[in-house]
Amino acid sequence: QQQQQQQQEKYIPDPNDTTPPPSIDSKGNARMIADPSDTKPDLWDDEDDGEWEPLRILNPKYEWQPRMIPNPNYTPPPSSFSVLLSLLEKFAGEVNGAAPWLVLGVLIASLLHLFTSNPLDFMTLTNNNNNNKKKRLK
Protein backbone atom coordinates (compact mmCIF):
# COMPACT_ATOMS: atom_id res chain seq x y z
CA GLN A 1 0.00 0.00 0.00
CA GLN A 2 2.89 2.35 0.78
CA GLN A 3 4.38 1.54 -2.63
CA GLN A 4 1.03 2.36 -4.31
CA GLN A 5 0.87 5.66 -2.44
CA GLN A 6 4.45 6.42 -3.48
CA GLN A 7 3.56 5.75 -7.14
CA GLN A 8 0.69 8.25 -6.91
CA GLU A 9 2.83 11.06 -5.51
CA LYS A 10 4.58 13.22 -8.10
CA TYR A 11 7.35 14.29 -5.69
CA ILE A 12 8.89 12.40 -2.77
CA PRO A 13 11.38 13.39 -0.05
CA ASP A 14 14.95 13.00 -1.26
CA PRO A 15 16.35 9.90 0.49
CA ASN A 16 19.92 11.13 -0.13
CA ASP A 17 19.36 14.55 1.44
CA THR A 18 21.56 14.72 4.51
CA THR A 19 20.98 18.40 5.32
CA PRO A 20 19.54 18.83 8.80
CA PRO A 21 16.31 20.78 9.07
CA PRO A 22 16.79 24.50 9.82
CA SER A 23 16.33 25.76 13.37
CA ILE A 24 13.66 28.26 12.24
CA ASP A 25 11.02 27.56 9.59
CA SER A 26 9.81 29.94 6.85
CA LYS A 27 7.10 31.34 9.18
CA GLY A 28 9.58 32.18 11.93
CA ASN A 29 8.69 29.26 14.24
CA ALA A 30 11.61 27.75 16.14
CA ARG A 31 12.15 24.02 15.67
CA MET A 32 12.73 23.38 19.37
CA ILE A 33 10.97 25.22 22.20
CA ALA A 34 11.13 25.05 25.97
CA ASP A 35 8.74 22.46 27.39
CA PRO A 36 5.96 24.52 29.08
CA SER A 37 5.20 21.66 31.48
CA ASP A 38 8.82 21.39 32.72
CA THR A 39 9.52 23.08 36.07
CA LYS A 40 12.73 23.89 37.89
CA PRO A 41 13.56 21.15 40.44
CA ASP A 42 13.34 22.19 44.09
CA LEU A 43 16.94 21.11 44.81
CA TRP A 44 18.41 23.08 41.89
CA ASP A 45 21.08 25.54 42.98
CA ASP A 46 21.96 28.16 40.34
CA GLU A 47 25.38 28.78 41.90
CA ASP A 48 26.40 25.13 41.98
CA ASP A 49 24.43 23.74 39.07
CA GLY A 50 24.41 26.78 36.74
CA GLU A 51 21.40 28.56 35.29
CA TRP A 52 18.44 26.20 34.95
CA GLU A 53 16.99 25.67 31.47
CA PRO A 54 13.81 23.70 30.84
CA LEU A 55 13.82 20.66 28.56
CA ARG A 56 13.42 21.40 24.87
CA ILE A 57 10.76 19.72 22.76
CA LEU A 58 9.76 19.85 19.09
CA ASN A 59 7.54 22.84 18.38
CA PRO A 60 4.12 21.65 17.12
CA LYS A 61 3.82 24.86 15.05
CA TYR A 62 7.14 24.21 13.29
CA GLU A 63 6.61 23.45 9.60
CA TRP A 64 9.42 22.17 7.44
CA GLN A 65 9.50 19.93 4.40
CA PRO A 66 12.58 18.00 3.34
CA ARG A 67 13.94 18.56 -0.16
CA MET A 68 11.58 16.97 -2.67
CA ILE A 69 12.62 15.20 -5.87
CA PRO A 70 10.55 13.85 -8.79
CA ASN A 71 9.22 10.38 -8.02
CA PRO A 72 10.77 7.82 -10.41
CA ASN A 73 7.77 5.48 -9.85
CA TYR A 74 5.15 8.15 -10.59
CA THR A 75 2.67 7.30 -13.30
CA PRO A 76 0.49 10.26 -14.25
CA PRO A 77 -3.25 9.68 -14.53
CA PRO A 78 -4.41 9.06 -18.09
CA SER A 79 -5.47 12.18 -19.96
CA SER A 80 -8.73 12.28 -21.90
CA PHE A 81 -6.70 12.27 -25.13
CA SER A 82 -4.88 9.06 -24.21
CA VAL A 83 -8.17 7.43 -23.18
CA LEU A 84 -9.68 8.39 -26.55
CA LEU A 85 -6.61 7.12 -28.37
CA SER A 86 -6.77 3.75 -26.59
CA LEU A 87 -10.48 3.45 -27.47
CA LEU A 88 -9.70 4.18 -31.12
CA GLU A 89 -6.92 1.57 -31.11
CA LYS A 90 -9.31 -0.98 -29.62
CA PHE A 91 -11.95 -0.11 -32.24
CA ALA A 92 -9.37 -0.49 -35.05
CA GLY A 93 -8.46 -3.94 -33.70
CA GLU A 94 -12.12 -4.96 -33.67
CA VAL A 95 -12.59 -3.72 -37.26
CA ASN A 96 -9.50 -5.67 -38.38
CA GLY A 97 -10.94 -8.79 -36.76
CA ALA A 98 -14.31 -8.32 -38.48
CA ALA A 99 -12.94 -7.42 -41.95
CA PRO A 100 -12.62 -11.01 -43.27
CA TRP A 101 -16.21 -11.78 -42.33
CA LEU A 102 -17.40 -8.58 -43.95
CA VAL A 103 -15.56 -9.44 -47.17
CA LEU A 104 -17.03 -12.95 -47.12
CA GLY A 105 -20.54 -11.54 -46.68
CA VAL A 106 -20.09 -9.10 -49.58
CA LEU A 107 -18.72 -11.93 -51.76
CA ILE A 108 -21.67 -14.22 -51.03
CA ALA A 109 -24.16 -11.39 -51.61
CA SER A 110 -22.44 -10.60 -54.94
CA LEU A 111 -22.59 -14.24 -56.05
CA LEU A 112 -26.26 -14.46 -55.15
CA HIS A 113 -26.96 -11.29 -57.08
CA LEU A 114 -24.95 -12.57 -60.05
CA PHE A 115 -26.98 -15.79 -60.37
CA THR A 116 -30.39 -14.28 -59.67
CA SER A 117 -32.01 -10.94 -60.21
CA ASN A 118 -33.22 -10.94 -56.60
CA PRO A 119 -31.25 -12.77 -53.87
CA LEU A 120 -34.53 -13.82 -52.30
CA ASP A 121 -35.56 -15.48 -55.59
CA PHE A 122 -32.63 -17.85 -55.17
CA MET A 123 -34.24 -19.18 -52.01
CA THR A 124 -37.61 -19.58 -53.68
CA LEU A 125 -36.02 -21.21 -56.74
CA THR A 126 -34.25 -23.69 -54.52
CA ASN A 127 -37.47 -24.49 -52.69
CA ASN A 128 -39.40 -24.77 -55.97
CA ASN A 129 -36.73 -27.09 -57.43
CA ASN A 130 -36.93 -29.30 -54.36
CA ASN A 131 -40.73 -29.34 -54.57
CA ASN A 132 -40.60 -30.17 -58.30
CA LYS A 133 -38.19 -33.04 -57.66
CA LYS A 134 -40.50 -34.38 -54.96
CA LYS A 135 -43.48 -34.18 -57.36
CA ARG A 136 -41.55 -36.01 -60.07
CA LEU A 137 -40.60 -38.76 -57.69
CA LYS A 138 -44.23 -39.45 -56.77
Side-chain angles (χ1 to χ4, degrees):
Q1 186 180 17
Q2 184 181 8
Q3 187 177 5
Q4 273 184 333
Q5 184 181 6
Q6 212 174 33
Q7 285 178 346
Q8 293 173 356
E9 295 177 15
K10 193 171 185 177
Y11 294 96
I12 58 171
D14 184 358
N16 300 323
D17 187 15
T18 57
T19 349
S23 58
I24 296 178
D25 68 6
S26 60
K27 295 182 181 178
N29 296 318
R31 181 169 188 248
M32 302 296 284
I33 59 170
D35 185 355
S37 63
D38 194 17
T39 58
K40 183 177 179 179
D42 293 335
L43 299 176
W44 190 272
D45 184 5
D46 286 337
E47 288 180 16
D48 290 338
D49 300 323
E51 186 177 337
W52 180 82
E53 292 183 14
L55 291 176
R56 301 189 63 73
I57 60 169
L58 285 173
N59 185 352
K61 295 179 182 176
Y62 179 78
E63 295 177 11
W64 175 77
Q65 291 283 333
R67 185 170 70 119
M68 303 297 272
I69 60 169
N71 186 352
N73 299 325
Y74 176 70
T75 50
S79 67
S80 57
F81 177 74
S82 64
V83 170
L84 179 64
L85 187 61
S86 68
L87 287 174
L88 286 175
E89 288 172 351
K90 185 177 178 181
F91 178 72
E94 295 292 328
V95 168
N96 286 338
W101 295 106
L102 180 64
V103 170
L104 182 63
V106 169
L107 180 65
I108 291 173
S110 299
L111 289 174
L112 285 174
H113 187 68
L114 182 66
F115 290 117
T116 63
S117 60
N118 185 354
L120 294 178
D121 286 346
F122 178 76
M123 299 302 256
T124 57
L125 286 175
T126 307
N127 287 339
N128 287 341
N129 286 341
N130 286 342
N131 288 340
N132 288 341
K133 286 180 186 177
K134 287 180 186 176
K135 287 180 184 176
R136 285 184 205 155
L137 292 174
K138 287 184 183 183

